[in-house]
């Protein structure tokens, strides 16, 4: 007998977005739902770090400190949103975004992907990877959704369409963005893995002080060490120039001046 489950937690740790009510997108349950533009980023008010993809790092470096997080050989470039946990200084009290650039990670909201796993493939032959697929989730509690204002997620379709509806333009745009972001996140992971292989990352901790006392220490942040980078061969640096990794490193170094914005 086949059973399925969906990881509705979706995100964990300092990069997590707050979803009020996650639901699997369904033509049956959401056929009358509409999507309206919003400038309300309170869903990210506790997001202290935002993952970045390669295409946006140069622009993000103008506004946020960019460092790397590491789990084994898995490297992730992130933009720091705060010097404390569970806080984002770029989200105003009214929910408005307080910087000139909004990272792609946040622009996915109120849509996201979750992974659905078939714990018992019917024929017993599928691998673990084959038994997993992505499903589209929405935050039904987001102010972006209503039954009255905005573009419909689903529109009337021909007789052969499921439930008599098909995806509308707003849905197509949202799903296209999700897929492009997913591919870009896989691509940047492969690219920055070269930093681990070349052993140029060093760990740094930040001590955050208030006027009265030491308030917090942020650990586990990785930066590219200049001396280690300069010790690489011309062939390695040439490869990094061609594949764009060296541009990411320089943007990362430039971005470190933005720490004073967080303070």
């Amino acid at each position: 007998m086949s059973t399925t489950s969906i990881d509705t937690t979706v995100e964990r740790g300092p990069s997590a977005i707050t979803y009020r009510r996650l639901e699997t997108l369904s033509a049956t349950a959401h056929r009358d739902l509409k999507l309206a533009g919003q400038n309300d980023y309170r869903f990210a008010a506790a997001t202290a770090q935002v993952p970045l993809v390669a295409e946006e790092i140069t622009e993000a470096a103008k506004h946020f400190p960019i460092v790397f997080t590491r789990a084994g050989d898995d490297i992730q470039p992130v933009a720091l949103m705060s010097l404390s946990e569970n806080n984002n200084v770029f989200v105003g009290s009214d929910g408005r975004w307080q910087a000139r650039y909004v990272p792609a990670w946040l622009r996915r909201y109120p849509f996201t992907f979750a992974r659905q796993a078939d714990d018992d493939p019917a024929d017993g032959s599928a691998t673990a990877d084959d038994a997993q697929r992505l499903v589209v989730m929405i935050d039904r509690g987001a102010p972006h959704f209503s039954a009255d204002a905005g573009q419909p997620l689903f529109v009337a379709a021909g007789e052969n369409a499921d439930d008599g509806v098909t995806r509308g333009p707003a849905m197509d745009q949202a799903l296209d963005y999700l897929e492009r972001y997913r591919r870009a996140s896989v691509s940047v992971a492969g690219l920055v893995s070269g930093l681990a292989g070349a052993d140029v990352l060093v760990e740094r901790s930040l001590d955050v002080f208030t006027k009265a006392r030491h308030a917090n220490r942020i650990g586990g942040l990785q930066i590219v060490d200049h001396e280690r980078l300069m010790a690489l061969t011309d062939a390695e640096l040439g490869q990094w120039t061609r594949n764009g990794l060296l541009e990411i490193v320089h943007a990362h170094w430039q971005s470190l001046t933005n720490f004073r914005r967080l303070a």
Side-chain angles (χ1 to χ4, degrees):
M1 180 177 179
S2 177
T3 60
T4 60
S5 62
I6 296 175
D7 180 7
T8 55
T9 305
V10 181
E11 294 152 8
R12 302 174 177 85
S15 297
I17 289 173
T18 301
Y19 294 93
R20 304 175 188 179
R21 199 167 92 226
L22 270 177
E23 296 180 4
T24 304
L25 184 63
S26 162
T28 301
H30 306 121
R31 63 184 300 155
D32 297 323
L33 210 56
K34 295 182 179 180
L35 176 68
Q38 287 282 338
N39 192 26
D40 189 339
Y41 288 87
R42 276 174 279 198
F43 66 89
T47 307
Q49 301 176 8
V50 174
L52 298 173
V53 296
E55 294 83 351
E56 66 179 332
I57 287 178
T58 299
E59 181 61 29
K62 301 175 184 177
H63 309 279
F64 320 107
I66 296 174
V67 296
F68 300 89
T69 59
R70 181 172 185 171
D73 287 338
D74 293 332
I75 308 297
Q76 174 69 59
V78 299
L80 295 184
M81 301 288 110
S82 175
L83 293 180
S84 60
E85 296 180 356
N86 303 318
N87 186 39
N88 187 336
V89 302
F90 296 102
V91 179
S93 59
D94 59 356
R96 292 186 177 273
W97 190 250
Q98 304 294 312
R100 293 185 178 181
Y101 181 74
V102 180
W105 173 258
L106 301 180
R107 284 183 270 134
R108 304 167 305 142
Y109 186 85
F111 297 87
T112 190
F113 278 137
R115 192 166 295 281
Q116 178 172 292
D118 188 336
D119 298 325
D120 184 19
D123 62 4
S125 62
T127 66
D129 289 339
D130 294 333
Q132 293 182 332
R133 65 187 179 91
L134 295 174
V135 295
V136 179
M137 309 287 291
I138 64 171
D139 184 356
R140 187 62 184 83
H144 307 63
F145 293 121
S146 77
D148 304 314
Q151 302 180 63
L153 296 183
F154 297 95
V155 296
E159 295 181 358
N160 295 328
D162 293 340
D163 298 313
V165 296
T166 189
R167 296 191 317 229
M171 173 72 71
D172 285 336
Q173 184 177 1
L175 297 189
D176 176 68
Y177 184 83
L178 279 180
E179 177 59 19
R180 286 189 290 113
Y181 181 86
R182 185 191 67 81
R183 293 182 180 182
S185 63
V186 171
S187 176
V188 74
L191 180 59
V192 299
S193 65
L195 300 175
D199 194 28
V200 297
L201 291 172
V202 293
E203 183 169 339
R204 291 288 184 269
S205 296
L206 292 176
D207 287 314
V208 183
F209 293 87
T210 64
K211 291 182 178 180
R213 61 184 178 85
H214 173 254
N216 189 34
R217 167 169 285 191
I218 303 175
L221 304 180
Q222 306 274 330
I223 65 170
V224 177
D225 183 80
H226 187 272
E227 291 186 3
R228 293 189 184 189
L229 184 75
M230 291 298 101
L232 297 180
T233 66
D234 290 346
E236 288 174 305
L237 291 175
Q239 178 63 28
W240 286 14
T241 299
R242 288 189 293 272
N243 66 18
L245 183 53
L246 195 59
E247 182 179 0
I248 289 176
V249 170
H250 283 292
H252 150 65
W253 282 338
Q254 178 185 4
S255 77
L256 298 180
T257 61
N258 291 321
F259 271 113
R260 62 176 176 267
R261 294 188 179 184
L262 301 186

